[in-house]
Amino acid sequence: MASVVTLTTGALAIVVTLALLGPLRPDAAPTTDAPVDLSAKSTNPVTPGNFTGYGFDQCLAPSQKKMDAWLEHSPFLAVGIYISGNSRACRSQPNLTPTWVRTQLTKGWRLLPISLGPQSSCVGRFPRYGAKIDPTISNSSTNSYAAARAQGKAEADTAVAAAQALGIVPGSTLWYDLEGWSNYKNATCRESALAFLTKWTQRIRNRGYVSGVYSSAGSGMKILDDARAARRTDVVVPDQIWVARWDNVANTSTSYLRSDGWLPGRRMKQYQGGHNETWGGVTINIDRNYLDLGNSTPAAETHCGGVRVDVAYRKVMPRTGSYRADPTLVKALQCLLKEKAGYAGKLTGNFNKKTRASAQAWQRSSGLGVSTSWRKKDWISLHAAGARPVLKIGSRGSDVRRVQRALQIAVPGSRVVVNGVYDATMASAVTAYRKQVGLPAYGVVHSATWAKLAAGAR
C-alpha cells in the first residue's frame, strides 16, 4: 500500500458460517481454534460482497464531503480503509467512525477494511511502530513457527474487534497488508510469513469474516500461490487476494500468479501506485484498484406476473385506419404504468382510452407535455422514475436496468443490453448520453443525469 500520503483538498445481528464464505481449499489445514459465535449489532450490509469494478485506497479515510464528491463524479465505488495494526502510518483516523462507515455503505460504497501490523523480517523499512513477524523456529523437526502463528491470531482478533466497533459485519472481508520484500526465496522470512498468514486466515474465518491478504505480486502473493499450488497441508491460503502489481492494467492478472488461483471471483489488483486524482473538484492521493470479487450476476427481474417489458421501444399512437400499436409494446407500457403510476386497467395490449388517460396523467405530472401519443421521451421518463442512486461500473440490479432501458431509446446505436450489469459498454453509452444532453462526458449516472432522464431528454 501507499505510505504516508496527504489529502491535498479535500441484520439484525447475524452469524456467518463457513459455508457462506465460499468453498475452501480441499487441502487446507484444519483449524485449531473453536469457531466463535460472533454477532454484530449493526444492520450494515456485508462489504465488499459481490463486486466487479474500480476502487481506491488512501491512508486517511476521506471526509464525508470528499467521499460525496467522489461518489458523484469518480469511477470508483470501493474504498480501502485502515482499521487496525500498529504499523499503520495513519493510526489516527478522525473521520473513521461507525457513522462514517454506515453512511458510505448506505450510499453504495464498498469498504475494504485493512490491517497493517507485523511485517516480514526481510522488509528493511518495517516496523514503523510495531514488531516484525517473529522468525523463530520453535520446533526444527516440524519447521514450526509458533510465535509467528500467535502473532497472526492476535492481529486477526484485533482486526475483528476494530471491524465490530465500526459496524463492519461478519461475512465482510478483512484484509491483512503484508508489504513486499525483495527476496521471497529466503526460507526464514517466507515460512514465518506463511505461518503468520495461515493463523490470520484461520482466525478470521472462525470469527465469521472472510480472510483477505494484500501483498506484492513478487513476494507475498508469490509465496502464497506457490504454497497453494504445492497443496501444502501446513498452509491455509486466504479466501481472497489483493495483488499489488503496478502495471497500469485494470484487471486481476499478473504473470507472478498461476491462472487457476483464486479464480473466479476472488481477486483484486492494485494496478497503480500513489498519485493525485481530482474528481468533482476534490483532489486525493490514491492507489488505484480493480476488483473482481464474488458473483456479480444480478438477480432475475419479473414484471406484472411475467409481462415482457424489454421491447423495441417506439412511439405508440391511437388506432387509426390500418395502424394498430404493437400489442406487446402496449402491454409493456400498461405494465410499467401499473408499477409506477397506478394504472388500474387490465393488461390488454390495446392502447385504449383508459391506457391513454393514465399515459397522459404521467405526461402531465412529469412536465412532458400532454399528447394523445406515447413518445420516446415519455418512455425515457417512465423508465427513469424511482430511486436515483449513483451508478457506475460495478453497479448491479434493477436501477441499472432502468437506465439501460432508457439508454436504448436515448442513445440510438449504443450496444447497451438490459442485463442489470453496469459494464464498460454501458459506461460508454452513459458518456455519450451525458454529452448529448449537455453534461460533462464521463460514464457515471449521478443526480444531474437522473434529472435529465426524468425529463425525457435525448
Side-chain angles (χ1 to χ4, degrees), residues 145-400:
Y145 291 82
R149 290 175 180 271
Q151 288 176 304
K153 178 179 178 180
E155 288 299 317
D157 286 343
T158 299
V160 168
Q164 288 283 299
L166 289 168
I168 298 169
V169 300
S172 300
T173 304
L174 303 184
W175 300 90
Y176 195 81
D177 179 346
L178 185 70
E179 293 290 312
W181 64 95
S182 59
N183 184 11
Y184 75 90
K185 293 183 180 180
N186 182 296
T188 300
C189 297
R190 180 185 69 241
E191 295 304 317
S192 59
L194 287 172
F196 178 97
L197 293 176
T198 289
K199 186 53 67 173
W200 160 271
T201 289
Q202 288 178 327
R203 190 63 172 171
I204 290 294
R205 288 176 178 172
N206 289 337
R207 302 300 297 274
Y209 288 81
V210 178
S211 167
V213 170
Y214 164 95
S215 193
S216 66
S219 56
M221 288 297 108
K222 172 67 175 171
I223 66 172
L224 283 170
D225 193 44
D226 286 348
R228 179 196 64 81
R231 303 184 70 82
R232 286 181 53 173
T233 58
D234 62 325
V235 175
V236 180
V237 299
D239 304 304
Q240 298 175 349
I241 58 171
W242 185 346
V243 185
R245 177 58 174 160
W246 295 353
D247 58 6
N248 295 315
V249 180
N251 61 23
T252 62
S253 298
T254 171
S255 60
Y256 288 91
L257 295 180
R258 297 164 180 82
S259 61
D260 62 334
W262 294 277
L263 290 174
R266 293 193 290 158
R267 286 188 186 186
M268 59 183 291
K269 186 172 83 175
Q270 185 183 84
Y271 65 92
Q272 187 176 6
H275 64 285
N276 287 344
E277 290 197 24
T278 302
W279 297 98
V282 172
T283 302
I284 308 177
N285 187 288
I286 67 166
D287 301 322
R288 266 185 173 245
N289 303 279
Y290 184 77
L291 296 75
D292 186 10
L293 299 176
N295 178 6
S296 295
T297 302
E301 191 175 87
T302 59
H303 297 267
C304 304
V307 171
R308 185 163 65 93
V309 299
D310 296 321
V311 295
Y313 304 108
R314 302 184 302 277
K315 186 176 183 179
V316 178
M317 300 179 292
R319 184 170 184 170
T320 57
S322 61
Y323 170 81
R324 181 180 177 227
D326 182 344
T328 301
L329 187 63
V330 176
K331 187 174 286 189
L333 173 59
Q334 290 170 330
C335 174
L336 291 171
L337 287 171
K338 185 180 185 70
E339 291 178 339
K340 300 188 178 189
Y343 170 66
K346 296 181 179 180
L347 307 182
T348 62
N350 296 317
F351 195 50
N352 51 30
K353 290 182 179 181
K354 199 164 189 176
T355 304
R356 291 199 299 273
S358 181
Q360 290 174 334
W362 178 268
Q363 292 170 335
R364 187 178 298 108
S365 65
S366 301
L368 299 171
V370 176
S371 171
T372 56
S373 299
W374 185 258
R375 304 150 301 187
K376 287 187 176 181
K377 68 177 182 179
D378 303 321
W379 280 114
I380 295 171
S381 176
L382 186 60
H383 285 311
R388 298 184 179 186
V390 175
L391 303 175
K392 57 185 75 174
I393 289 179
S395 298
R396 299 287 188 272
S398 60
D399 294 324
V400 173

